[in-house]
Amino acid sequence: MNENPLGYEKINKLLRSFAIPSIISMLVGSLYNIVDQFFIGQKIGELGNAATNIAFPLSTSCLAISLLLGIGGASAFNIAMGAGDRQKAVGFMGNAAALLFLCGLVLCLTAEVFLEPMLRFFGSPENVLPYAKEYTRITALGFPLLTLATGGGHLIRADGRPKITMLCNLSGAVINTILDAVFVFGLDMGMSGAALATIIGQYASGSLAVWYLAHCKSVRLHREHLRIRARNAGRIMALGMAPCSNQIAMMIVQIVMNKSLKYYGSVSAYGEAVPIACVGIISKVNMVFMSFVIGISQGLQPIASFNFGAGNYRRVREAYFKAISCGAALAVFAFLIFQIFPRQIISVFGDGSEMYYSFAENYFHIFLFFTFVNFLQPISSNFFTAIGKPKRGSFLALTRQIIFLLPLIVLLPLWMGIDGIMYAGPVADVLAAVVCAIMVLKELNKPQYREA
């Protein structure tokens, strides 16, 4: 406790030092998609925007793997370090790094072999499919380094170097942004240029992450630590299941959403492509807000994990409440932006028809109406994972996307048409927030959290 600042430093200072680099790292991750969306929208238009949305479930799969093994490995590492078991901790870190690369490689090969059937399954209209294939066939080559860069960032953060995680992600995003302009506009490479810029940035980030993992501050990784052991892998996956489950749930919802938008759009005035294009853009804009929230939850993780492992429960409680206070303030700000400036936001990503703008404005106003409560679920889910209760964390991660939103996306349009998809969002947001509040209050009202 006296040797590690996680055990004695002021919570506000710790949360700032861990959360701010995490937020920047998450924003940088969002930038990959936002930048591609901007250049593709300006150069190709609605069909290009729709294509990136069709391909987005594969990017979500990479993030799911990164969270499963990155946050799982980081939580296992911090809990072991808090308990004073350094040898076990370094084993968790090495196994997590090896699994990140291997799982990314498997996903890359799967996407390349089954690309067209996968994109059709994701809900691609015929006029969007060629753009989606062109983009995804190239971006899939970056999956091994993308998972290693994203997941490895959590391991580097757990090693007490959150600024290094930020540097790894920032370098890739800067490269991606510069090359997007060169390839898409300068060399007129279209979808292929945006995809190529993306994977070059990912390879730069991944290479830096590998170097820093090989030079950890608190432990030293050796070849034997990379040899995957079933017990380590099981513990890592158990602790990472909550944030991973949330991403898998998002991927399932994205696929069902795309199929529903395609079907109900085709029987509405909007057509097939307009709703898919708009929702793809708005989802990525919303991810900018969620990057702040997820960054706060990731900043909370090492503080909660270490102090829980050390038995300092009052610091765990204090860290959680300070994290959700920050999340609440950001959520209210995002709500106001989404409600007041929807047309201005969607206009950044290229021109469209009046139907295009009309659908986008309605989606911002309705689907994202309860944005101001959406901070609670990610922070609470990651909190339970951080304190070694992954089943509760996994359940909370599934509440909004799978338990509430998915059935509502299927059922409400049966009566309301495409408007039913929009109204599914706010209903699911409120229900998920209520469940989170009940579970967290029950946990934090236990006697040990109030003892000195």
Side-chain angles (χ1 to χ4, degrees):
M1 285 283 295
N2 292 329
E3 296 176 358
N4 195 315
L6 288 169
Y8 64 82
E9 188 63 79
K10 290 182 179 180
I11 296 296
N12 283 341
K13 183 177 179 180
L14 287 172
L15 198 56
R16 281 196 304 271
S17 64
F18 281 93
I20 290 175
S22 299
I23 289 168
I24 294 173
S25 296
M26 289 299 301
L27 285 172
V28 167
S30 298
L31 248 160
Y32 276 109
N33 296 311
I34 291 284
V35 167
D36 279 0
Q37 199 82 63
F38 170 78
F39 285 104
I40 288 170
Q42 294 291 335
K43 187 71 175 180
I44 298 168
E46 291 177 14
L47 294 180
N49 283 330
T52 60
N53 190 29
I54 291 299
F56 201 54
L58 284 171
S59 298
T60 306
S61 300
C62 287
L63 185 54
I65 292 169
S66 301
L67 295 178
L68 174 69
L69 302 171
I71 287 185
S75 297
F77 175 84
N78 283 132
I79 290 172
M81 289 291 282
D85 196 338
R86 184 179 295 269
Q87 188 58 36
K88 185 180 287 187
V90 71
F92 286 132
M93 180 172 284
N95 275 212
L99 286 165
L100 282 163
F101 181 80
L102 289 175
C103 289
L105 183 60
V106 170
L107 183 61
C108 167
L109 295 174
T110 303
E112 293 291 348
V113 173
F114 301 105
L115 182 59
E116 185 168 332
M118 290 177 76
L119 294 175
R120 290 186 183 276
F121 177 72
F122 294 161
S124 177
E126 286 298 326
N127 59 345
V128 174
L129 186 61
Y131 296 100
K133 287 173 63 177
E134 180 183 356
Y135 182 77
T136 310
R137 193 171 296 282
I138 298 173
T139 55
L141 298 175
F143 289 168
L145 270 294
L146 174 59
T147 55
L148 188 54
T150 308
H154 297 293
L155 300 176
I156 295 169
R157 186 183 302 110
D159 186 46
R161 297 183 296 174
K163 292 181 181 178
I164 297 300
T165 299
M166 177 185 69
L167 175 63
C168 290
N169 292 329
L170 186 60
S171 62
V174 170
I175 291 170
N176 178 38
T177 302
I178 294 171
L179 293 182
D180 258 326
V182 173
F183 293 160
V184 177
F185 286 138
L187 300 179
D188 198 25
M189 294 174 66
M191 300 293 291
S192 296
L196 188 60
T198 296
I199 67 166
I200 292 174
Q202 289 166 354
Y203 271 74
S205 294
S207 299
L208 282 174
V210 169
W211 193 89
Y212 282 111
L213 285 171
H215 299 81
C216 290
K217 181 175 70 172
S218 58
V219 295
R220 180 65 61 187
L221 280 174
H222 297 289
R223 184 175 298 176
E224 62 266 23
H225 300 131
L226 301 176
R227 191 177 300 117
I228 298 169
R229 302 184 185 277
R231 181 177 296 181
N232 286 350
R235 177 64 170 164
I236 289 167
M237 291 180 185
L239 290 173
M241 187 55 65
C244 173
S245 298
N246 195 38
Q247 291 301 313
I248 291 173
M250 287 176 63
M251 181 181 68
I252 294 170
V253 169
Q254 285 166 3
I255 295 169
V256 174
M257 177 81 81
N258 285 342
K259 288 178 173 290
S260 297
L261 291 168
K262 178 184 175 183
Y263 176 77
Y264 290 103
S266 68
V267 296
S268 73
Y270 301 112
E272 288 183 342
V274 164
I276 292 174
C278 289
V279 171
I281 293 170
I282 295 167
S283 296
K284 290 167 187 175
V285 170
N286 187 47
M287 272 306 300
V288 174
F289 154 63
M290 292 304 296
S291 294
F292 285 92
V293 175
I294 295 170
I296 291 169
S297 74
Q298 291 174 358
L300 171 67
Q301 179 266 315
I303 305 169
S305 291
F306 183 90
N307 284 285
F308 190 87
N312 198 346
Y313 301 109
R314 287 198 68 175
R315 284 176 64 81
V316 175
R317 175 187 172 93
E318 181 186 354
Y320 172 80
F321 279 117
K322 288 186 174 175
I324 62 166
S325 297
C326 295
L330 289 167
V332 170
F333 178 75
F335 164 77
L336 294 173
I337 295 296
F338 293 162
Q339 293 299 310
I340 297 171
F341 303 111
R343 193 178 186 99
Q344 290 86 341
I345 293 171
I346 202 73
S347 297
V348 172
F349 300 94
D351 294 328
S353 64
E354 189 55 38
M355 283 294 181
Y356 174 80
Y357 287 114
S358 174
F359 183 87
E361 289 176 345
N362 287 336
Y363 196 85
F364 266 115
H365 287 149
I366 299 171
F367 192 87
L368 297 179
F369 183 77
F370 279 110
T371 295
F372 57 85
V373 300
N374 280 349
F375 67 94
L376 193 56
Q377 185 220 16
I379 294 175
S380 301
S381 174
N382 206 34
F383 167 73
F384 278 111
T385 297
I387 63 173
K389 299 183 179 182
K391 290 182 180 179
R392 297 183 190 183
S394 297
F395 173 76
L396 284 184
L398 295 174
T399 51
R400 181 185 184 271
Q401 302 289 343
I402 295 296
I403 298 174
F404 299 129
L405 183 58
L406 188 59
L408 289 168
I409 288 174
V410 174
L411 295 174
L412 290 185
L414 296 176
W415 291 280
M416 305 173 66
I418 199 166
D419 287 347
I421 297 174
M422 300 190 204
Y423 283 99
V427 175
D429 291 340
V430 170
L431 293 174
V434 170
V435 172
C436 283
I438 292 171
M439 289 185 64
V440 169
L441 289 175
K442 184 178 179 181
E443 172 69 25
L444 294 181
N445 281 330
K446 291 179 179 179
Q448 63 264 34
Y449 290 100
R450 297 181 177 279
E451 293 172 1

